Every structure is written in C-alpha cells, then in structure tokens.
Amino acid sequence: MLLTSYLLAGLAILLAWPIPVVLSRAQWTARSPFAAMVMWQSIALAGGLSMIGAMLFWGLDSLGDTLLTALERGVKLILGDPSIASPGTIHIFALSTAALLGFHLVLTLIRAAWRISRQRSRHRHILSLLTQESTLNPGTLVLDHEIPIAYCLPSFSGSVTVLSRGLVQRLSEEELQAVLAHEKAHLEQRHDLLLLAFTSWHDALPWLPTSKLALTAVQDLVEMLADDAALREVSPAELLRALLTVATGALGEPDAKAPAAISNAGTGGAPTEELTSQRLRRLLTPKSPLTASVRDLILAAALLLLALPTTMLVAPGLFG
C-alpha cells in the first residue's frame, strides 16, 4: 500500500509538470489533433487519479496491506469494532485530503456545467430577440450587425450557429461554406464538453501551472479539429480567407462595437476567435498527417498512461 502510494505520487508529479510541458511544445500535435486531444485527456484523468490515489493509499496503509482489506477494516472501525486500531493523525490527514480533493474536483465540474448552462440559456433568449433564422442554412441564425462574427451555441436540445450580416456579406459562397462546416464540426463533435472538462480542471486547480497549459492547448486543438472538418469540404485557401475575415474584420472598423450581449458568449468558435500562429502555419504550409502506425502508437501510449494509475488503484498488490 505504501509503495503504491509513493508510485502514484511520483506519477502525479510527472503528469503535473514535465509531461504536459513536453506535450505542449511538441510539433506533431498539429499533424494529428485528435491523437493530441486523446493524450491531453489521458494526462488530465491519470493525473487526477494519481493525486487522489496517492493520498488515499497513504491514509489506508495503517489499516491493511491491500485496498480491500483496508476498506473492510475501515468499515469495521466506523461501526465501532474495538479490535481495529484507529489510524494515526497523519493517515487521517491523508484520507481527508483525498476525500476533499475528489469532492472539490467533482463539485467544480458541476458548478462549471451549471454556470455555462445558465449563460447559454440567457444567450439563447437574447438571440431570439436579435437574430433571424437563415432561410438558406437551417440551424443558422443571422445577427443584424456589421462586424464579422461567427460562433456556435451548443445544446442538447437544438444547437445553433450564429453569423453576423456583415460576415455573410463579405464572404463568398465557398468561404461561407467553410465557416459553416467549421462551426458544424464544433457542434457535432461536442467540443464544448471537452472545453468544459478542462475549464473546470483549471478552475479547480488554478495553482497548477499545467492546468492553464492544458486548457490553452485544448482550445487550440478543438479549432484545428474543426478546421480539418472544414477542409474536407473546401480548400485551405478558402478556409484561411474566411478565418482571416472573422479574425481581422473588426480591425477595419475601429469605431464599431459588437453588441455587449454577445461579446463574451458562444462556444466552439467565439465571436472574437483567435487565429493562432500554429493554426495559421498549418493552413499556409500544410504538412502530411501522421502515419497510421505513429498515430496508433500515440493512442496506445495515452491508453497505457491512463491504465497505469487505474491498475494501481484496482490491483495495488501488483505494485507491492
């Protein structure tokens, strides 16, 4: 039990700093955003399991040599069995820390989901007052404003894409198709749920530098995934022109301001979506995707990374 606790603590340290830093600097992520996204999810889940598991096993060490034995003796202790010695202060502290950390992570996720749900509900109401449904593109709302705006608002009961009149007027038919395909990918692939998970992770552990690093990387990756979906329908040049129109359109109108009601809303392509240098490079100078064998190797590594702390928690006896 104690050895397993130390191993989990060591893994938690690796997943909290060096591994995320290395991944954030890797160049292959732009060639396979899907594999990179899976790796980031694996790091986050394995890191959380390792942190909680390390404290849990440390706290239970005084109650038994295996997890089942320790839990059984712990239940007997709670029920008042006088033959079970009470854990020491340090073990109680470790158990309390594990319980509080797990509760904190879950509570933060629930709070973030509730907050975003309420924001989207209010935003949908505002859109009903300020927009008209497109006659050419079902599920698309057109906002009567000159600034080029494109974003989507996900929902389990009717997601919508929002475009401004200024954007529709500036784009060619192919460029408009590129924008719609980009936003459609955000909705169909439920990128909002990925962002929710990493946003809540950052909210729960803001003192952990890599939580911000992971959130930034995932924000960029979901845009690359949506770009790739759009590229299956239009050329890179058409997509790039459309994205540049959205990203830089407001620069040509310094006196124009987006309606305050929609300035911060939207998911999976915000009204002021940032065209990062990495996204720009992969559209200007496309590189070949990773080979299937390399991609499979990365996915296997992500699975192994997640399986390691899970196995330690389920079968600690295998690790001493």
Side-chain angles (χ1 to χ4, degrees):
M1 291 280 284
L2 195 58
L3 176 59
T4 303
S5 175
Y6 292 153
L7 291 174
L8 286 168
L11 181 60
I13 293 173
L14 290 175
L15 294 173
W17 182 250
I19 292 179
V21 170
V22 170
L23 181 58
S24 68
R25 296 174 180 174
Q27 298 299 314
W28 63 264
T29 56
R31 298 175 60 190
S32 183
F34 174 76
M37 181 69 75
V38 173
M39 181 61 76
W40 276 113
Q41 292 179 76
S42 179
I43 289 173
L45 289 172
L49 288 174
S50 298
M51 283 190 293
I52 296 173
M55 301 304 294
L56 177 65
F57 276 60
W58 187 19
L60 292 175
D61 179 63
S62 63
L63 293 175
D65 296 330
T66 66
L67 180 61
L68 291 178
T69 301
L71 290 175
E72 181 182 355
R73 291 171 62 88
V75 171
K76 291 181 179 180
L77 177 64
I78 294 174
L79 295 177
D81 190 336
S83 65
I84 307 298
S86 178
T89 303
I90 191 67
H91 295 97
I92 294 176
F93 171 78
L95 288 172
S96 300
T97 302
L100 288 173
L101 180 58
F103 179 76
H104 177 58
L105 291 175
V106 173
L107 180 61
T108 303
L109 177 61
I110 294 174
R111 289 179 58 190
W114 175 253
R115 182 182 69 249
I116 292 175
S117 177
R118 288 175 58 85
Q119 289 174 346
R120 289 175 183 166
S121 178
R122 290 195 295 267
H123 189 56
R124 288 293 293 265
H125 176 67
I126 294 173
L127 287 176
S128 68
L129 302 175
L130 300 179
T131 63
Q132 292 182 340
E133 187 167 0
S134 172
T135 57
L136 299 177
N137 301 290
T140 301
L141 302 178
V142 179
L143 178 69
D144 188 18
H145 203 277
E146 291 298 323
I147 293 181
I149 294 173
Y151 65 98
C152 58
L153 197 65
S155 171
F156 289 105
S157 58
S159 301
V160 294
T161 296
V162 181
L163 306 177
S164 68
R165 175 173 49 81
L167 179 67
V168 174
Q169 292 174 345
R170 297 185 191 199
L171 297 182
S172 67
E173 183 177 346
E174 293 76 13
E175 292 165 356
L176 182 59
Q177 181 183 359
V179 171
L180 292 173
H182 179 99
E183 302 302 336
K184 180 181 178 181
H186 282 313
L187 296 173
E188 291 185 345
Q189 298 176 21
R190 293 313 308 240
H191 292 162
D192 57 302
L193 299 181
L194 292 171
L195 293 171
L196 169 63
F198 283 90
T199 297
S200 64
W201 175 260
H202 177 58
D203 290 345
L205 304 172
W207 47 267
L208 189 65
T210 48
S211 67
K212 176 61 175 177
L213 197 65
L215 177 59
T216 301
V218 168
Q219 288 171 335
D220 211 17
L221 287 172
V222 297
E223 297 303 333
M224 292 184 193
L225 288 169
D227 287 345
D228 289 344
L231 288 173
R232 289 192 282 270
E233 299 187 22
V234 299
S235 68
E238 290 167 338
L239 175 60
L240 182 59
R241 287 196 299 268
L243 293 177
L244 288 174
T245 299
V246 176
T248 64
L251 297 179
E253 302 178 26
D255 296 329
K257 294 184 179 180
I262 57 95
S263 61
N264 296 319
T267 301
T272 55
E273 177 183 306
E274 181 183 4
L275 185 59
T276 63
S277 59
Q278 191 175 32
R279 288 181 66 200
L280 189 61
R281 283 196 303 270
R282 74 193 300 264
L283 290 174
L284 288 172
T285 56
K287 294 183 178 180
S288 59
L290 296 178
T291 62
S293 57
V294 174
R295 188 174 61 251
D296 291 344
L297 184 62
I298 294 171
L299 294 176
L303 181 62
L304 178 62
L305 187 61
L306 181 58
L308 190 57
T310 303
T311 304
M312 290 183 184
L313 290 170
V314 175
L318 295 177
F319 299 87

